[in-house]
């Protein structure tokens, strides 16, 4: 096991009706004037935004709103949010929504106290030293941004979709998580969220670091639980306990717990980010395509962990089978799981046409350099083959 720092200081306030605590939570963490960030309208329609406004007002907190943050959030809205926050003397950023809203809010939070261009933090030109505090009212279990120090923003000019990790300053101060709020999600978004949280675990699970049995067992238990509860929700979308398990799992998948003591991989995410940047598909839908293709490719070169995943998570019996057969059956079973959720595992089907693999590979090289990942280090030629295998 490797040395590690696990720093997860977010206060998670979980359960029914917890959104009414938003105002007191902002107050507790020092907010007096809030930038209230939301998405394309689901939270207005559900009445959640009204409840949050009321809770802020009752706590004597002023707010200014930035609405309409779209999935795969872009830099133009971040600049707008920074200006809005500065103009109104904002001292706290509150995201009401999913990963896209939260990530845009986080980018504003590091951008406001910085004299330069916030994109400096995404292109590697500068490291942020401070950020406005961020709070979250979560509406979709998926990205795990409510408990992560990450933010993913796309620069419109060049379609650079870049993920940054600043855990010491960007982890939300609190995250309000009411599973009932996720019942208004279209099934497709629930399914995409499941694919995303599972992949956050794969990125940590598929590792060559030895002696990580405890971390691996935690990861396997969460993956099995997510898959079981996703199948329950497919039949009974209003099952509160299944919603609750999935929601908590989305946080545990990405707050660092499943990576403690291990070298992490992150190839599938990097491969996918090019797809959602260029074809504007849902991130989780892109991962359902890329992860089985990636797994198949690495299983032929380093089967150990893929075999363990097939047996311990997908329930494949290894008796009388070769290592290659067990891996193949595990990956087939994973594809079958995504299909049951209604997600495609074909890149062509995902984007509804022929993807430009040269564009994806060159853009990946531009953003990530010549190699990717650690479980099996991938050259750009390997990445191109994985895109081909995903077609
Ligand atoms: O915009 P609205 O109208 O709110 O609709 C949203 C959006 O269309 C809808 N939605 C959310 N909650 C809802 C709801 N609809 C009905 N009822 C509700 N309760 O769902 C759609 C998707 O929302 P989005 O925020 O885009 O989803 P998600 O949480 O999957 O976030 C995706 C973004 O997060 C990034 C992805 O790359 C992508 O840009 N990621 C961020 C990470 C991080 N910061 O740690 C890690 C991830 O790997 C990921 O890359
Ligand atoms: Zn993800």
């Amino acid at each position: 096991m490797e040395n590690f720092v696990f720093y997860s200081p977010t206060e998670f306030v979980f359960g029914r009706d917890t959104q009414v605590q938003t105002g007191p939570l902002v107050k507790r963490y020092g907010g007096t004037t809030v930038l209230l960030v939301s998405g394309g309208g689901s939270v207005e329609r559900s009445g959640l935004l009204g409840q949050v406004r009321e809770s802020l007002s009752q706590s004597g907190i002023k707010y200014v709103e930035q609405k309409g943050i779209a999935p795969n959030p872009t830099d133009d809205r971040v600049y707008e949010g920074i200006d809005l926050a500065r103009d109104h003397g904002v001292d706290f950023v509150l995201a009401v929504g999913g990963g896209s809203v939260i990530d845009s809010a986080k980018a504003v939070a590091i951008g406001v106290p910085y004299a330069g261009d916030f994109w400096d933090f995404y292109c590697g030109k500068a490291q942020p030293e401070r950020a406005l505090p961020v709070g979250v009212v979560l509406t979709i279990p998926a990205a795990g941004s409510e408990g992560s120090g990450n933010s993913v923003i796309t620069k419109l000019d060049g379609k650079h979709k870049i993920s940054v990790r600043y855990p010491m300053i960007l982890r939300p101060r609190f995250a309000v998580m009411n599973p009932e709020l996720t019942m208004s999600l279209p099934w497709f978004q629930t399914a995409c969220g499941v694919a995303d949280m599972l992949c956050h675990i794969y990125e940590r699970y598929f590792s060559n670091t030895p002696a990580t049995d405890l971390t691996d067992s935690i990861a396997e238990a969460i993956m099995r639980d997510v898959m079981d509860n996703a199948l329950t929700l497919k039949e009974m979308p209003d099952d509160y306990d299944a919603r609750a398990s999935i929601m908590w799992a989305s946080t545990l998948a990405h707050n660092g717990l499943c990576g403690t003591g291990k070298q992490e991989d992150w190839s599938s995410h990097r491969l996918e980010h090019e797809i959602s940047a260029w074809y504007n598909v849902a991130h989780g839908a892109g991962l359902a395509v890329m992860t089985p293709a990636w797994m198949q490719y690495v299983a032929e070169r380093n089967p150990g962990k893929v075999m363990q995943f097939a047996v311990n998570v997908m329930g494949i019996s290894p008796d009388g089978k070769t290592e290659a057969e067990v891996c193949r059956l595990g990956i087939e079973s994973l594809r079958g799981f995504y299909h049951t959720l209604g997600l495609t595992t074909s890149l062509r089907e995902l984007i509804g046409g022929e993807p430009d693999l040269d564009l994806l590979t060159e853009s990946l090289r531009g953003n990530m350099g010549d190699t990717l990942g650690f479980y099996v280090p991938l050259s750009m030629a390997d990445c191109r083959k994985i895109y081909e295998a995903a077609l």
Side-chain angles (χ1 to χ4, degrees):
M1 189 191 261
E2 293 184 353
N3 291 359
F4 67 89
V5 172
F6 177 59
Y7 179 66
S8 184
T10 305
E11 178 175 351
F12 296 104
V13 181
F14 194 97
R16 289 185 167 97
D17 300 325
T18 42
Q19 65 272 22
V20 300
Q21 298 178 42
T22 308
L25 282 163
V26 171
K27 201 167 182 173
R28 174 152 10 125
Y29 289 100
T32 63
T33 308
V34 163
L35 179 70
L36 179 53
V37 188
S38 62
S42 71
V43 294
E44 191 77 82
R45 287 191 296 278
S46 68
L48 172 63
L49 206 51
Q51 290 177 312
V52 169
R53 289 186 192 113
E54 194 180 328
S55 179
L56 292 174
S57 297
Q58 279 174 358
S59 294
I61 292 160
K62 290 181 284 180
Y63 58 86
V64 54
E65 295 199 38
Q66 187 190 27
K67 293 184 182 181
I69 303 301
N72 304 316
T74 47
D75 59 338
D76 55 332
R77 301 306 308 275
V78 177
Y79 292 116
E80 178 194 282
I82 292 170
D83 288 345
L84 200 56
R86 285 184 182 150
D87 288 350
H88 290 82
V90 158
D91 56 17
F92 195 98
V93 187
L94 178 63
V96 182
S100 297
V101 172
I102 303 168
D103 287 1
S104 197
K106 286 176 173 176
V108 170
I110 44 175
V112 168
Y114 181 58
D117 180 349
F118 93 92
W119 190 255
D120 291 351
F121 301 136
Y122 288 74
C123 68
K125 210 168 138 188
Q127 296 280 313
E129 285 166 10
R130 56 189 182 278
L132 293 183
V134 175
V136 170
V137 180
L138 187 66
T139 63
I140 171 171
S145 190
E146 69 281 3
S148 83
N150 299 27
S151 165
V152 187
I153 300 292
T154 300
K155 189 175 181 57
L156 281 172
D157 182 11
K159 302 258 188 203
H160 299 286
K161 184 170 186 175
I162 304 289
S163 172
V164 295
R165 187 182 273 203
Y166 298 120
M168 292 303 168
I169 58 168
L170 264 195
R171 290 199 196 252
R173 296 291 204 278
F174 68 81
V176 167
M177 298 170 66
N178 176 356
E180 288 175 319
L181 298 176
T182 69
M183 289 184 190
S184 57
L185 279 167
W187 173 254
F188 174 70
Q189 290 297 344
T190 299
C192 288
V194 165
D196 192 13
M197 67 186 81
L198 284 173
C199 193
H200 294 157
I201 306 179
Y202 310 151
E203 303 285 13
R204 296 165 163 106
Y205 181 79
F206 290 97
S207 166
N208 299 313
T209 310
T212 57
D213 292 358
L214 173 61
T215 308
D216 286 354
S217 299
I218 293 169
E220 287 167 358
I222 299 175
M223 288 189 275
R224 285 193 302 265
D225 196 72
V226 168
M227 289 183 187
D228 284 351
N229 282 298
L231 296 176
T232 301
L233 284 184
K234 183 82 177 59
E235 300 305 317
M236 295 179 288
D238 291 347
D239 185 310
Y240 177 85
D241 291 319
R243 287 270 172 207
S245 290
I246 294 256
M247 194 173 212
W248 188 223
S250 80
T251 305
L252 298 180
H254 198 37
N255 76 339
L257 176 69
C258 293
T260 44
K262 303 183 69 170
Q263 182 180 49
E264 301 181 4
D265 189 80
W266 294 98
S267 303
S268 299
H269 265 71
R270 305 302 181 226
L271 288 160
E272 193 292 317
H273 279 165
E274 297 305 326
I275 298 169
S276 48
W278 287 100
Y279 298 105
N280 200 20
V281 296
H283 169 61
L287 289 172
V289 169
M290 290 318 302
T291 43
W294 172 84
M295 234 181 255
Q296 192 174 308
Y297 196 80
V298 298
E300 287 159 19
R301 289 150 183 86
N302 185 4
K305 215 72 189 194
V306 182
M307 169 130 173
Q308 188 180 332
F309 171 79
V311 173
N312 290 355
V313 180
M314 302 314 297
I316 306 298
S317 163
D319 297 345
K321 300 186 187 82
T322 64
E323 204 171 46
E325 275 168 349
V326 175
C327 291
R328 185 179 55 75
L329 289 172
I331 296 165
E332 248 173 44
S333 172
L334 180 65
R335 283 206 174 93
F337 169 74
Y338 290 136
H339 295 162
T340 306
L341 296 191
L343 296 173
T344 180
T345 53
S346 151
L347 184 49
R348 281 194 187 104
E349 201 178 323
L350 176 72
I351 67 161
E354 198 61 34
D356 184 340
L357 300 191
D358 290 334
L359 171 79
L360 292 175
T361 313
E362 277 317 302
S363 180
L364 183 64
R365 187 200 304 277
N367 288 327
M368 301 308 305
D370 287 334
T371 54
L372 211 61
F374 297 96
Y375 180 63
V376 172
L378 302 170
S379 66
M380 286 302 126
D382 294 321
C383 293
R384 161 118 199 174
K385 286 185 195 142
I386 296 173
Y387 282 132
E388 279 167 17
L391 281 173

